[in-house]
Amino acid sequence: MVKKIIDPWGSELVEDYNKLIKDFGLETFNIKDFPKPNRLMRRGVMFAGRDLKLISKCIKEKKKFYALTGIMPTNDKIHFGNKMVVESLRYFQDYGAITYILVADLESAAARGISLKEAKKRALNFHIPAYLALGLDPKKTVFYFQSENMDVVHLGFEFAQKITLNEFKAIYGSADPGRIMSAVTQVGDILFPQLKETMPGIVPVGIDQDPHMRLTRDVARRMKSKYKFFLPASIYNKYTPALNGDLKMSKSKPESCISLPEDSKVVCKKIMKAKTGGKDTLAEQKKKGGEPEKCIIFELFKQHLIEDDKELNKIYKNCKKGKVMCGEDKKLACDLMTKFMKSFNKKVDKNKKKIKKLKFIKFK
Ligand code: TRP
């Protein structure tokens, strides 16, 4: 078996999602396990996970569980990967999950050199309002900063005892001190909600974060005699591909990457140059049709821009039949993206004003 290391801090591309499922022993996501699957679930964007049955059981039997994610305030923008995580959280929140969002300010300091003060400012002014703008219910969401949560810090120190350097290297491919600190803290985050009461939990993440989930599950197993933690479940989304067809958008290639928010005019220019599944000439495309499977514009429709399955299907068919050409689809993508950005910005501003009313965990 080829054991490819996925590095949550790196930029290695994942070519074959099925191979990942095999290599890492993931469960394939089964749409039948979840009621009213959301857009990402219906379209195979959520493609795998760990212990998904446990969560599906909680939903069906209305048992307590939690859903959690962390915000890295390293940038003044977020990306489509964050959007997918929020949409998954929202799904579980709708089915009763106690929802936690933590600001990974200790990780930002240890791994990226961002001061705690700066991290806090960014999180309150942008990241938290942005996550709310993408659909979370502020009344049902609990927030904290890693640096203020001594329980998390203490758990991290305790968990450090249970991990060896070699094991860390095997999971992550490297072992920088900053990464070790960040990883044990993250394990603390993920298990923290179970300190008061053990219950299943789920962490929706991009597939590159799976190493953290493996580590957390290993630690939880080793702590069984003391804490009786449920091993946390996880659910993974595929990447939103870069506009040039690369597997993942990357800020290092801004012409192929769309951030949230971004100026609509700039975004539309990029969209106009995106890779499509079109033929060399219009005449040929009209005759033979295009290939939506290879088209990044179609992928944007599928993952983010078009909610209605029938509408998406129509676009697919019209492309296949050569009825609608790439230019027209690009124009539609640009219009929908402009609408999305406008509404996103508006909601971010609205949520900024609500920041004082949010439920931050109080620490003594
Ligand atoms: N490491 C995560 C990132 O890079 C942030 C994070 C910290 C996190 N704690 C977490 C994510 C707990 C999920 C769960 O984005």
Side-chain angles (χ1 to χ4, degrees):
M1 186 174 89
V2 201
K3 252 220 151 157
K4 199 161 151 189
I5 287 170
I6 351 177
D7 168 6
W9 293 283
S11 60
E12 193 179 357
L13 299 184
V14 186
E15 264 106 42
D16 183 341
Y17 289 107
N18 283 329
K19 188 165 174 301
L20 270 184
I21 291 180
K22 254 205 216 132
D23 287 356
F24 292 104
L26 305 177
E27 270 169 50
T28 303
F29 175 78
N30 187 348
I31 192 163
K32 291 201 193 84
D33 290 339
F34 292 90
K36 287 198 201 139
N38 69 12
R39 162 174 32 82
L40 299 170
M41 292 169 163
R42 294 197 305 272
R43 298 178 186 170
V45 185
M46 309 306 306
F47 75 105
R50 293 183 184 274
D51 264 342
L52 288 168
K53 288 248 159 38
L54 185 63
I55 300 302
S56 135
K57 209 167 150 228
C58 286
I59 291 178
K60 279 181 194 144
E61 296 172 7
K62 297 200 163 36
K63 291 217 171 94
K64 258 193 186 172
F65 72 107
Y66 65 99
L68 171 149
T69 193
I71 289 176
M72 281 287 275
T74 41
N75 226 290
D76 56 358
K77 298 223 164 18
I78 55 171
H79 51 70
F80 281 112
N82 302 123
K83 176 174 176 280
M84 290 195 264
V85 165
V86 175
E87 286 172 333
S88 308
L89 277 180
R90 171 63 200 242
Y91 175 86
F92 295 114
Q93 184 168 68
D94 283 346
Y95 284 99
I98 305 167
T99 313
Y100 288 87
I101 296 205
L102 61 102
V103 178
D105 57 348
L106 290 179
E107 174 172 355
S108 304
R112 309 276 172 85
I114 311 275
S115 76
L116 297 181
K117 202 173 151 202
E118 181 61 27
K120 185 163 204 164
K121 202 169 105 195
R122 286 187 197 171
L124 295 177
N125 282 330
F126 174 65
H127 291 82
I128 291 177
Y131 271 48
L132 292 172
L134 293 172
L136 288 174
D137 182 345
K139 289 196 200 84
K140 291 191 199 156
T141 311
V142 183
F143 300 85
Y144 71 82
F145 287 84
Q146 279 178 334
S147 65
E148 292 171 5
N149 190 335
M150 275 306 128
D151 286 339
V152 163
V153 174
H154 291 168
L155 283 176
F157 274 78
E158 195 176 355
F159 296 159
Q161 268 273 310
K162 301 283 171 189
I163 307 162
T164 68
L165 190 60
N166 279 333
E167 183 188 8
F168 198 91
K169 280 186 191 152
I171 294 180
Y172 292 100
S174 68
D176 299 345
R179 293 182 178 195
I180 297 177
M181 301 295 288
S182 305
V184 293
T185 309
Q186 178 154 348
V187 175
D189 286 327
I190 295 173
L191 295 173
F192 161 73
Q194 297 196 55
L195 272 185
K196 259 202 212 134
E197 182 183 352
T198 55
M199 67 177 106
I202 184 158
V203 186
V205 275
I207 182 64
D208 55 325
Q209 298 282 315
D210 182 58
H212 291 309
M213 296 312 301
R214 264 181 284 156
L215 182 69
T216 307
R217 291 166 61 87
D218 284 346
V219 169
R221 256 185 227 112
R222 287 169 201 163
M223 288 272 159
K224 267 262 135 74
S225 60
K226 183 169 176 192
Y227 288 113
K228 314 226 164 4
F229 290 133
F230 278 88
L231 303 193
S234 55
I235 182 163
Y236 305 113
N237 55 265
K238 293 179 183 172
Y239 296 121
T240 297
L243 297 174
N244 66 358
D246 286 355
L247 197 84
K248 187 182 178 185
M249 286 187 181
S250 157
K251 275 188 294 265
S252 63
K253 286 188 188 162
E255 69 289 352
S256 285
C257 173
I258 304 175
S259 299
L260 277 58
E262 193 165 325
D263 179 74
S264 294
K265 278 200 193 102
V266 178
V267 173
C268 284
K269 263 195 198 141
K270 295 183 194 181
I271 285 179
M272 289 304 169
K273 289 187 197 145
K275 180 179 171 279
T276 67
K279 296 281 188 313
D280 289 340
T281 65
L282 271 187
E284 194 189 350
Q285 191 165 336
K286 277 189 183 146
K287 207 166 127 203
K288 295 185 185 156
E291 292 175 281
E293 301 81 4
K294 292 183 182 166
C295 174
I296 306 304
I297 300 297
F298 185 73
E299 199 62 24
L300 286 179
F301 288 148
K302 183 174 114 187
Q303 292 195 6
H304 300 288
L305 297 174
I306 290 182
E307 191 61 46
D308 181 19
D309 290 350
K310 274 192 208 131
E311 203 180 326
L312 185 73
N313 215 1
K314 202 167 137 198
I315 292 179
Y316 182 89
K317 283 195 178 140
N318 281 340
C319 170
K320 277 263 177 208
K321 285 187 206 150
K323 273 193 181 165
V324 173
M325 301 289 112
C326 301
E328 204 175 313
D329 279 332
K330 281 177 169 171
K331 167 118 200 350
L332 177 62
C334 157
D335 288 348
L336 292 174
M337 195 62 93
T338 304
K339 241 190 227 161
F340 167 76
M341 290 293 177
K342 220 174 169 180
S343 136
F344 176 71
N345 286 331
K346 226 177 169 178
K347 288 183 194 158
V348 172
D349 284 342
K350 213 170 91 195
N351 281 298
K352 262 188 211 171
K353 291 181 198 130
K354 287 192 197 154
I355 205 87
K356 287 212 176 81
K357 288 193 196 135
L358 300 180
K359 287 190 204 162
F360 281 90
I361 304 182
K362 294 247 171 10
F363 300 102
K364 274 162 265 149

